[in-house]
Amino acid sequence: MFTHRIALAGCTIVDGGSESQAWIDDELGASRFSDVRLGRRLRQLVTQMAGAVGGPIPLACQDWANTKAAYRFLSNSDVSEGKILQGHFQSTALRVAAVEGPILVLQDTTEFSYERKKPEQVGAIGYAPSKRETVGIVRRHTICGLLMHSSLVVTTEGIPLGLAAIKFWSRSKFKGTSALKRHINPTRVPIEAKESIRWLENMRASTALLGEGQRLIHIGDRENDIYEFFCAAREAGTHFLVRTCVDRLAGDGKHTIAAEMADAPIAGRHMIEIADGVTASLALKYKQIRVLPPIGKQKRYPALDLTVIHAQEQDVPENRSPIDWKLITDLGASIYPAI
């Protein structure tokens, strides 16, 4: 039921009122259930929640009869987050088809934490420090909750077009990444056995839904710096732009990306605003580099010709760390505007 409620909240993107009803009917028209009454209940519930954005279901439903009906809907075995969001996904695809130019697909993970007497009924998402003991020992407790990995579609002007893919999960037991690295080299674990597979699954699902993979640019943070993802995007006929954190082997395998970028000339400068009235000057460097897969996976994955971009701040003030962004993409230098 928890995942259904979160998926339902993802549909609530308009304010309540008579004008929103027609929009909701169109937005969720492609959501199909075995019983047509479930579709009507979904549209009614979204309408109610649109009038109380951020509030609990009882507040949105106003009375006990509607509240009970909402919980019956969410508990129905024929209701899932996929069916709830099916109509919205199709509406997103229609909006993408109606606009021209490149489309950005932003991937990221969100955590939903809950307080439960029996956390095992929901799942675990991580650890948090508890109260410090008198002897100075820090205790930790398990955080109960769900994780949601979503793909938000926007235009290059920043106009949101909707979600294109989503994945919910929780863990029966949370295992810290640092602890795992002491026992096994993560680069030698197949991607299919890792939670990181969500980045590939969302990319494939989004590309299949929206079509025109050459228009799509899948964007991720440093957690998305996954070589298997780069290869999967190429196989799917789509593009990516990822903030990188791995200094991979490059060229003939006797040096790394960092060594090649150190010799790349500054191609231009770009000013950005980092706070009200505060700007920073970034020196931009980019170079197309032959990037090699991890040593343990070189028989499975090919080398790729990718563009690496460095944006590094100049004249850094003393009160903060410098901006240092390192990006990697399969797009060539010809797509960048003149700098």
Side-chain angles (χ1 to χ4, degrees):
M1 180 186 295
F2 292 109
T3 55
H4 304 352
R5 290 175 64 180
I6 296 170
L8 188 60
C11 293
T12 311
I13 54 178
V14 296
D15 294 330
S18 58
E19 294 183 359
S20 69
Q21 187 59 58
W23 183 91
I24 290 173
D25 290 341
D26 289 341
E27 187 73 10
L28 305 179
S31 294
R32 295 286 184 263
F33 300 91
S34 59
D35 190 331
V36 295
R37 292 174 296 180
L38 291 174
R40 289 198 298 267
R41 174 58 63 181
L42 170 62
R43 292 190 290 275
Q44 179 181 347
L45 185 51
V46 170
T47 301
Q48 292 168 332
M49 294 181 68
V53 176
I57 287 179
L59 176 62
C61 294
Q62 295 292 308
D63 58 57
W64 174 239
N66 279 310
T67 300
K68 188 175 181 180
Y71 284 119
R72 279 203 307 266
F73 170 81
L74 294 170
S75 300
N76 192 297
S77 59
D78 189 45
V79 174
S80 66
E81 56 269 25
K83 289 185 177 181
I84 288 174
L85 290 167
Q86 182 182 18
H88 172 64
F89 289 158
Q90 292 300 322
S91 296
T92 299
L94 290 174
R95 285 188 285 269
V96 168
V99 299
E100 297 180 351
I103 297 294
L104 309 181
V105 186
L106 317 180
Q107 288 199 50
D108 207 356
T109 304
T110 302
E111 296 181 352
F112 298 89
S113 61
Y114 304 95
E115 290 187 8
R116 291 292 185 272
K117 292 182 179 179
K118 296 181 178 180
E120 66 276 2
Q121 294 181 349
V122 178
I125 59 174
Y127 290 119
S130 301
K131 293 182 179 179
R132 185 180 294 272
E133 302 291 336
T134 55
V135 294
I137 300 176
V138 177
R139 305 282 183 182
R140 295 194 301 169
H141 66 275
T142 301
I143 302 175
C144 168
L146 296 169
L147 297 110
M148 178 185 77
H149 190 72
S150 57
S151 296
L152 176 65
V153 184
V154 301
T155 67
T156 52
E157 292 78 25
I159 300 173
L161 302 178
L163 295 173
I166 202 164
K167 177 182 175 63
F168 294 99
W169 78 100
S170 64
R171 307 177 178 110
S172 58
K173 184 178 180 181
F174 180 76
K175 298 179 180 180
T177 303
S178 298
L180 283 176
K181 287 181 179 178
R182 290 195 292 268
H183 302 286
I184 188 170
N185 183 346
T187 64
R188 296 184 180 275
V189 178
I191 188 67
E192 295 81 6
K194 300 179 182 179
E195 284 189 3
S196 302
I197 191 66
R198 67 187 186 274
W199 297 92
L200 283 69
E201 291 175 341
N202 267 37
M203 179 273 296
R204 289 166 176 155
S206 299
T207 304
L209 172 72
L210 302 177
E212 299 183 276
Q214 289 298 312
R215 289 182 64 198
L216 308 179
I217 305 172
H218 300 266
I219 297 179
D221 59 15
R222 285 175 289 190
E223 194 177 358
N224 192 194
D225 188 11
I226 305 166
Y227 199 87
E228 291 90 336
F229 177 86
F230 307 158
C231 295
R234 187 180 71 163
E235 292 172 1
T238 191
H239 300 293
F240 64 85
L241 173 66
V242 172
R243 188 174 178 188
T244 183
C245 62
V246 180
D247 187 19
R248 293 183 169 85
L249 291 175
D252 59 4
K254 298 180 180 180
H255 61 274
T256 65
I257 291 174
E260 288 207 32
M261 291 303 294
D263 296 332
I266 294 177
R269 300 184 185 275
H270 182 64
M271 297 293 296
I272 62 169
E273 183 175 351
I274 58 176
D276 292 339
V278 180
T279 60
S281 174
L282 304 183
L284 302 181
K285 298 164 54 173
Y286 62 84
K287 184 177 182 181
Q288 190 171 67
I289 295 176
R290 186 75 167 174
V291 180
L292 306 182
I295 292 176
K297 298 181 179 180
Q298 290 187 353
K299 292 183 178 180
R300 183 175 180 183
Y301 298 103
L304 299 173
D305 292 321
L306 302 176
T307 302
V308 178
I309 308 165
H310 284 186
Q312 298 170 313
E313 185 176 7
Q314 308 292 295
D315 304 321
V316 184
E318 296 181 355
N319 59 347
R320 63 174 174 80
S321 300
I323 296 173
D324 188 2
W325 295 334
K326 297 177 180 178
L327 311 173
I328 192 165
T329 179
D330 68 320
L331 295 166
S334 61
I335 64 99
Y336 306 124
I339 50 177

